[in-house]
Amino acid sequence: MSADALWTFAMACNVYLTFFRQYDAYMLRRLEWKYALLAYGMPFVPAFTYLFVYTEDRGRVYGNSQVQIHHPILLQLEY
């Protein structure tokens, strides 16, 4: 997920700010809302946009899904 990578980037920024810019816990806490907006807001924009994308040839971006099971024991089970 891209949010995981963005949270990792935010924590790397925390390390940088702590060691090289002498930020304390209070200053880092004030940045948390910006991290949340970055980590969840950036992936949300294209995900929300794709809800409304439709083409004649391919249809919607989000559509029906199908679970594929490749494990040999699970293939023998009946659901």
Side-chain angles (χ1 to χ4, degrees):
M1 295 288 170
S2 61
D4 295 337
L6 292 171
W7 269 116
T8 303
F9 175 71
M11 294 306 105
C13 288
N14 275 353
V15 171
Y16 170 78
L17 292 171
T18 301
F19 285 107
F20 296 108
R21 300 290 181 190
Q22 285 73 41
Y23 273 46
D24 60 1
Y26 175 75
M27 296 167 79
L28 292 174
R29 284 286 267 214
R30 290 181 31 206
L31 294 174
E32 280 186 7
W33 71 271
K34 294 177 185 176
Y35 293 156
L37 187 65
L38 172 83
Y40 293 117
M42 275 182 49
F44 176 75
V45 171
F48 186 72
T49 304
Y50 291 151
L51 286 173
F52 304 103
V53 173
Y54 176 81
T55 61
E56 291 294 327
D57 294 336
R58 300 184 69 176
R60 295 201 176 275
V61 174
Y62 296 133
N64 296 334
S65 64
Q66 171 180 330
V67 177
Q68 295 180 357
I69 302 173
H70 298 288
H71 195 278
I73 293 176
L74 293 177
L75 287 174
Q76 296 172 3
L77 296 176
E78 292 194 22
Y79 292 98

